Amino acid sequence: MVIVKEKIKNDQEEACTLDGAVDRHGRPAIKRRTGTWIAGILILVNQGLATLAFFGVGVNLVLFLTRVVGQNNADAANNVSKWTGTVYIFSLLGAFLSDSYWGRYKTCAIFQAIFVIGLVSLSVSSYAFLLKPSGCGDEGNPCGSHSSLHMALFYLSIYLTALGNGGYQPNIATFGADQFDEEDPKEGHSKIAFFSYFYLALNLGSLFSNTILGYFEDEGMWALGFWASAGSATMALILFLIGTPRYRHFKPTGNPLSRICQVVVAATRKWKVQISDDDHDLLFYERDGIKQTSQNGARNILHTQGFKFLDKAAVITRKSDNDKNNGGDGENIDMRNPWVLCTVTQVEEVKCILRLLPIWLCTILYSVVFTQMASLFVEQGAAMKTNISTFHIPPASMSSFDILSVAAFIFIYRRVLDPLVERLTRKSGTRGFTELQRMGVGLVIAIMAMISAGVVEIFRLKYSIKDCNSCESKASTLSIFWQIPQYVLIGASEVFMYVGQLEFFNGQAPDGLKSFGSALCMTSISLGNYVSSLLVTIVMKISTRPGWIPGNLNKGHLDRFYFLLAALTTADLFIYIICARWYKYIKFEERTVGDNAHDIIDQCV
């Protein structure tokens, strides 16, 4: 063992990663030739370009639906929420294919290609069919009606875009993290930093689309904006493929659904089995020649207390032990049948998912708050004073302050706040904020953002134009810049919530379900959009006509909707605190260079 370690140390130039990563040929990945920040930066730039393309469509989609398609504010907000929600629902499909069959690289490449096809189709259909008569689509010149065929092509295009972006998103974050060997102290630190820079790249990519593209689209140049998005997505795909020789990979571990079902079936078949107070039966099974190996970098998971019914799936019954010792095959248990006997690691995978679900559910309401930036914040801004002299500020471009806030707070957190908290808590044995604590802080800031938005709406109504009975924009003399605090607070909350989520779900997901962990972040945003749509629908039905969110916001009470979200998020925060205190962290076995060490070195050197 010592000789093996010395050989690895003395041959740093050809040393392999210790986390089980492989190169594109399936051989153990050599540190010097693969991964690290060279591959990481390619992926970060790819993410920035892909995000630019996605938000080039998404950030102004609500205005496209009102001005070009002819929908009212409530319907447009609902349709944007449903579309955005569908984007993130598709992340589950991408994560499943990645973890089970294709691997992360292949999944990213295929879904990015679909993304490009969807954007090209959207650009063609908008230019050729929807933007008629020519020059329509700006604030004062809405477009005419459209045929069912043209609308079908439009919806096909935007949902192809949703499929491509949704399937790609959860895998690119995990694929980027794969480029760093967490068993190497230096690369392990870089892996943690990668998630912050990944979210920063996502926001910087959307900065261009929210400002330059947002301005052109707000002025009615929709085709130019959509073609720019298609070009950006194409560049992102090409850049991703250029990095192919440099990437590190983890081979897919098979269908996780079958592993989960095996645990449930095996535990149910042995529901009468009594489990002892200690873990002897479970650990004996893992040591008994059926131990899950560290193949593909997957580590064994140590047994934890809780969900004892599931533990029965990994218990070897006394009768099977006696039969085995006597040379029999075992009457009750077939040692080769995973539907009868599962590994402790397999059982802990299911426990891990069950423990993650309450935390995940508590993040959905935060996503309801987050999604207001793409819908009601834009509509609120459009009903405010949007001019500085003769220059018009597109309401959607105000989300640039959210992006700048994200960039600033990532720097403040990583360089100031986290080191400060780490020094203050060093005596208690903790090191800075945990991911769960950061997510809780994100919820608190989100409540503040909704209160801020509600207060701004109160003042917007106070300074509304009284004789503006039919207008849907510029309905108040209050400057749109009063929206800055709510955008800044949302940005600050994202740094704590979404970056914390990425780190938490990636770190707590079993090795064979890493993409699924990232997909949980995406699907919380998805369900947040659907819940937002549902809330808008309910509020419009039960509130006194014309409702809280009518076409003319001067006749509504958007402030009450914001305060409702603040109250719901406060209740969610208390539930989250309970779930976070109940949560038990996953415990992995340490990776070691064991029996296969000589084979690995022979392949590396």
Side-chain angles (χ1 to χ4, degrees), residues 515-538:
S515 295
F516 172 77
S518 296
L520 285 177
C521 304
M522 306 294 110
T523 50
S524 82
I525 301 175
S526 167
L527 292 180
N529 279 273
Y530 287 124
V531 172
S532 175
S533 177
L534 178 63
L535 280 176
V536 170
T537 301
I538 292 173

Short mmCIF file of all heavy atoms in Angstrom, two decimals, residues 515-538:
data_model
loop_
_atom_site.label_atom_id
_atom_site.label_comp_id
_atom_site.label_asym_id
_atom_site.label_seq_id
_atom_site.Cartn_x
_atom_site.Cartn_y
_atom_site.Cartn_z
N SER A 515 -26.81 13.74 -11.10
CA SER A 515 -27.62 14.58 -12.00
C SER A 515 -29.02 14.76 -11.45
O SER A 515 -29.64 15.81 -11.60
CB SER A 515 -27.67 13.97 -13.41
OG SER A 515 -26.40 13.98 -14.01
N PHE A 516 -29.54 13.71 -10.81
CA PHE A 516 -30.85 13.81 -10.18
C PHE A 516 -30.83 14.88 -9.08
O PHE A 516 -31.79 15.63 -8.92
CB PHE A 516 -31.25 12.46 -9.58
CG PHE A 516 -32.49 12.50 -8.74
CD1 PHE A 516 -33.75 12.56 -9.32
CD2 PHE A 516 -32.41 12.49 -7.35
CE1 PHE A 516 -34.90 12.61 -8.53
CE2 PHE A 516 -33.54 12.54 -6.55
CZ PHE A 516 -34.79 12.59 -7.15
N GLY A 517 -29.72 14.95 -8.34
CA GLY A 517 -29.60 15.98 -7.31
C GLY A 517 -29.69 17.37 -7.90
O GLY A 517 -30.38 18.25 -7.36
N SER A 518 -28.99 17.61 -9.01
CA SER A 518 -29.07 18.91 -9.68
C SER A 518 -30.47 19.14 -10.25
O SER A 518 -30.96 20.28 -10.27
CB SER A 518 -28.03 19.01 -10.79
OG SER A 518 -26.72 18.95 -10.26
N ALA A 519 -31.10 18.07 -10.73
CA ALA A 519 -32.45 18.21 -11.29
C ALA A 519 -33.46 18.63 -10.22
O ALA A 519 -34.45 19.29 -10.54
CB ALA A 519 -32.89 16.90 -11.93
N LEU A 520 -33.22 18.25 -8.97
CA LEU A 520 -34.10 18.69 -7.90
C LEU A 520 -34.13 20.22 -7.80
O LEU A 520 -35.19 20.82 -7.54
CB LEU A 520 -33.68 18.09 -6.56
CG LEU A 520 -34.00 16.61 -6.34
CD1 LEU A 520 -33.45 16.15 -4.99
CD2 LEU A 520 -35.51 16.35 -6.40
N CYS A 521 -32.97 20.85 -8.01
CA CYS A 521 -32.93 22.32 -8.02
C CYS A 521 -33.80 22.86 -9.14
O CYS A 521 -34.57 23.83 -8.95
CB CYS A 521 -31.50 22.81 -8.20
SG CYS A 521 -30.32 22.20 -6.99
N MET A 522 -33.68 22.23 -10.32
CA MET A 522 -34.44 22.70 -11.48
C MET A 522 -35.94 22.50 -11.29
O MET A 522 -36.75 23.36 -11.61
CB MET A 522 -33.98 21.97 -12.74
CG MET A 522 -32.50 22.02 -13.04
SD MET A 522 -31.90 23.66 -13.44
CE MET A 522 -30.93 24.03 -11.98
N THR A 523 -36.31 21.34 -10.75
CA THR A 523 -37.73 21.04 -10.61
C THR A 523 -38.39 21.87 -9.51
O THR A 523 -39.60 22.10 -9.56
CB THR A 523 -37.96 19.54 -10.33
OG1 THR A 523 -37.13 19.12 -9.26
CG2 THR A 523 -37.68 18.71 -11.56
N SER A 524 -37.63 22.33 -8.54
CA SER A 524 -38.22 23.23 -7.54
C SER A 524 -38.60 24.54 -8.23
O SER A 524 -39.64 25.13 -7.92
CB SER A 524 -37.25 23.47 -6.38
OG SER A 524 -36.30 24.45 -6.68
N ILE A 525 -37.77 24.99 -9.17
CA ILE A 525 -38.11 26.18 -9.96
C ILE A 525 -39.33 25.89 -10.83
O ILE A 525 -40.23 26.73 -10.97
CB ILE A 525 -36.92 26.62 -10.83
CG1 ILE A 525 -35.71 26.94 -9.95
CG2 ILE A 525 -37.30 27.82 -11.69
CD1 ILE A 525 -34.46 27.27 -10.74
N SER A 526 -39.36 24.69 -11.39
CA SER A 526 -40.50 24.29 -12.23
C SER A 526 -41.80 24.35 -11.47
O SER A 526 -42.77 25.00 -11.89
CB SER A 526 -40.27 22.87 -12.76
OG SER A 526 -41.45 22.35 -13.32
N LEU A 527 -41.85 23.67 -10.34
CA LEU A 527 -43.08 23.64 -9.56
C LEU A 527 -43.39 25.03 -9.00
O LEU A 527 -44.57 25.37 -8.83
CB LEU A 527 -42.95 22.63 -8.43
CG LEU A 527 -42.89 21.16 -8.89
CD1 LEU A 527 -42.77 20.23 -7.70
CD2 LEU A 527 -44.12 20.80 -9.71
N GLY A 528 -42.36 25.82 -8.75
CA GLY A 528 -42.59 27.20 -8.32
C GLY A 528 -43.34 27.98 -9.37
O GLY A 528 -44.24 28.78 -9.05
N ASN A 529 -43.00 27.76 -10.63
CA ASN A 529 -43.71 28.44 -11.72
C ASN A 529 -45.16 27.98 -11.81
O ASN A 529 -46.07 28.78 -12.02
CB ASN A 529 -42.99 28.19 -13.05
CG ASN A 529 -41.80 29.10 -13.25
OD1 ASN A 529 -41.94 30.20 -13.75
ND2 ASN A 529 -40.64 28.64 -12.81
N TYR A 530 -45.38 26.67 -11.66
CA TYR A 530 -46.75 26.16 -11.71
C TYR A 530 -47.57 26.66 -10.53
O TYR A 530 -48.75 27.01 -10.67
CB TYR A 530 -46.74 24.63 -11.74
CG TYR A 530 -46.30 24.05 -13.06
CD1 TYR A 530 -45.24 23.16 -13.13
CD2 TYR A 530 -46.95 24.39 -14.23
CE1 TYR A 530 -44.83 22.62 -14.34
CE2 TYR A 530 -46.55 23.86 -15.45
CZ TYR A 530 -45.49 22.97 -15.51
OH TYR A 530 -45.09 22.46 -16.71
N VAL A 531 -46.96 26.69 -9.35
CA VAL A 531 -47.68 27.20 -8.17
C VAL A 531 -47.98 28.68 -8.34
O VAL A 531 -49.07 29.16 -7.97
CB VAL A 531 -46.85 26.95 -6.88
CG1 VAL A 531 -47.50 27.65 -5.69
CG2 VAL A 531 -46.74 25.46 -6.61
N SER A 532 -47.05 29.42 -8.92
CA SER A 532 -47.29 30.84 -9.18
C SER A 532 -48.47 31.01 -10.11
O SER A 532 -49.35 31.86 -9.88
CB SER A 532 -46.04 31.48 -9.79
OG SER A 532 -46.29 32.81 -10.17
N SER A 533 -48.50 30.21 -11.17
CA SER A 533 -49.62 30.27 -12.12
C SER A 533 -50.94 29.94 -11.42
O SER A 533 -51.97 30.59 -11.64
CB SER A 533 -49.38 29.30 -13.27
OG SER A 533 -50.47 29.27 -14.16
N LEU A 534 -50.91 28.92 -10.56
CA LEU A 534 -52.12 28.53 -9.83
C LEU A 534 -52.57 29.64 -8.88
O LEU A 534 -53.78 29.94 -8.79
CB LEU A 534 -51.84 27.24 -9.04
CG LEU A 534 -52.99 26.71 -8.17
CD1 LEU A 534 -54.18 26.33 -9.05
CD2 LEU A 534 -52.52 25.53 -7.34
N LEU A 535 -51.62 30.27 -8.19
CA LEU A 535 -51.97 31.35 -7.28
C LEU A 535 -52.60 32.52 -8.01
O LEU A 535 -53.59 33.11 -7.55
CB LEU A 535 -50.72 31.82 -6.52
CG LEU A 535 -50.27 30.99 -5.32
CD1 LEU A 535 -48.97 31.54 -4.76
CD2 LEU A 535 -51.34 30.99 -4.24
N VAL A 536 -52.03 32.87 -9.17
CA VAL A 536 -52.59 33.98 -9.96
C VAL A 536 -54.02 33.65 -10.37
O VAL A 536 -54.92 34.49 -10.27
CB VAL A 536 -51.71 34.26 -11.20
CG1 VAL A 536 -52.42 35.23 -12.15
CG2 VAL A 536 -50.37 34.84 -10.78
N THR A 537 -54.23 32.41 -10.82
CA THR A 537 -55.57 32.00 -11.25
C THR A 537 -56.56 32.06 -10.09
O THR A 537 -57.68 32.57 -10.23
CB THR A 537 -55.53 30.57 -11.82
OG1 THR A 537 -54.62 30.54 -12.93
CG2 THR A 537 -56.91 30.13 -12.29
N ILE A 538 -56.16 31.54 -8.92
CA ILE A 538 -57.05 31.54 -7.76
C ILE A 538 -57.37 32.97 -7.32
O ILE A 538 -58.53 33.32 -7.05
CB ILE A 538 -56.41 30.75 -6.60
CG1 ILE A 538 -56.34 29.26 -6.95
CG2 ILE A 538 -57.21 30.95 -5.31
CD1 ILE A 538 -55.58 28.43 -5.94
#
